[in-house]
């Protein structure tokens, strides 16, 4: 896997042939087939491990005091990772049905950052809507930038990020929720700590608040 990762970084998937990987790792080609099935299985294992390492480091990072600043930093880190690992990004984002466990863990980290913003009342939409928009923006930005020369990428990621932030956040009044959607998102984010309600009541209230928070999208 280390040999394949090195070849991927140096020349992309085309450079990581079965023979090249076997030579670099000092093994026979049948070893690769026995362990990973084929070249694609090996590359997917490398992509999964690289993404898992990145997500793990992201999850262990101490959050910024301001949740919006923390969310912005997370978006920038995601784009930076994608641009620094173009071959891995292409493998991770290739259409293949269900997302990998590492990709799902990454979304969980994003979801937690959005939850912190919602608890301050600065979310204009539901948490689910915000996560979906941010995830689409991050993935699309990386894939779009990788198709452009490095010298033509300036400002594009920041513009895309701020366009989504403007749609989902109210950054002007951090202490006061923004309208009904903001109040609904803020209350829904804190339901787990509301011991006065039964689990069934919390579930029902969560569904109602979710509908209110999403009403601004219609």
């Amino acid at each position: 896997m280390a040999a394949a990762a090195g070849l991927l970084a140096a020349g992309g998937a085309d450079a990581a042939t079965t023979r090249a990987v076997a030579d670099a790792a000092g093994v026979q080609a049948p070893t690769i087939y026995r362990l990973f099935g084929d070249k694609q299985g090996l590359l997917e294992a490398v992509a999964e491990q690289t993404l898992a390492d990145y997500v793990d480091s992201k999850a262990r990072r101490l959050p910024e005091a301001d949740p919006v600043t923390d969310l912005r930093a997370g978006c920038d880190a995601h784009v930076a990772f994608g641009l620094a690992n173009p071959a891995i990004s292409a493998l991770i984002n290739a259409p293949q049905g269900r997302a990998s466990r590492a990709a799902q863990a990454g979304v969980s980290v994003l979801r937690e950052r959005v939850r912190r913003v919602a608890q301050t009342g600065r979310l204009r939409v539901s948490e689910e809507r915000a996560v979906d928009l941010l995830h689409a923006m991050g993935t699309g930005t990386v894939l779009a930038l990788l198709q452009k020369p490095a010298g033509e990428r300036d400002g594009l990621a920041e513009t895309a990020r701020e366009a989504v932030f403007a749609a989902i956040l109210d950054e002007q009044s951090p202490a006061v929720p923004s309208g009904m959607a903001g109040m609904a998102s803020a209350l829904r984010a804190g339901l787990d700590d509301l011991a006065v309600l039964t689990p069934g009541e919390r579930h029902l209230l969560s569904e109602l608040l979710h509908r209110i928070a999403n009403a601004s999208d219609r």
Side-chain angles (χ1 to χ4, degrees), residues 9-26:
D14 291 340
T17 64
T18 301
R19 176 175 294 181
V21 172
D23 290 344

Side-chain angles (χ1 to χ4, degrees), residues 150-165:
E152 298 179 14
R153 299 173 180 173
D154 290 350
L156 291 178
E158 292 78 8
T159 299
R161 181 196 66 208
E162 292 308 308
V164 173
F165 272 41

Side-chain angles (χ1 to χ4, degrees), residues 82-164:
L83 296 182
N85 299 274
I88 297 297
S89 295
L91 288 167
I92 291 171
N93 293 302
Q96 52 187 323
R98 189 175 64 85
S100 68
R101 284 177 294 181
Q104 291 173 344
V107 174
S108 294
V109 173
L110 172 61
R111 188 174 292 111
E112 180 57 33
R113 286 177 172 163
V114 170
R115 169 64 56 88
R116 291 184 64 222
V117 175
Q119 290 171 337
T120 70
R122 284 181 278 182
L123 209 57
R124 294 181 183 272
V125 298
S126 70
E127 293 177 50
E128 290 84 351
R129 182 70 165 174
V131 169
D132 286 345
L133 286 169
L134 288 166
H135 186 239
M137 179 273 296
T139 300
T141 295
V142 169
L143 294 180
L145 290 180
L146 287 175
Q147 297 179 29
K148 300 182 73 67
E152 298 179 14
R153 299 173 180 173
D154 290 350
L156 291 178
E158 292 78 8
T159 299
R161 181 196 66 208
E162 292 308 308
V164 173

Side-chain angles (χ1 to χ4, degrees), residues 134-202:
L134 288 166
H135 186 239
M137 179 273 296
T139 300
T141 295
V142 169
L143 294 180
L145 290 180
L146 287 175
Q147 297 179 29
K148 300 182 73 67
E152 298 179 14
R153 299 173 180 173
D154 290 350
L156 291 178
E158 292 78 8
T159 299
R161 181 196 66 208
E162 292 308 308
V164 173
F165 272 41
I168 68 174
L169 300 177
D170 180 2
E171 300 190 62
Q172 302 304 315
S173 52
V176 180
S178 175
M180 292 297 292
M183 288 188 287
S185 292
L187 180 55
R188 188 167 183 254
L191 281 182
D192 289 342
D193 300 322
L194 202 58
V196 70
L197 298 178
T198 67
E201 289 170 337
R202 280 197 298 271

Side-chain angles (χ1 to χ4, degrees), residues 58-81:
K58 186 168 64 170
R60 288 186 285 105
R61 181 181 64 82
L62 292 177
E64 300 284 347
D66 175 45
V68 172
T69 300
D70 192 53
L71 183 61
R72 187 174 273 111
C75 291
D76 292 345
H78 176 82
V79 172
F81 169 81

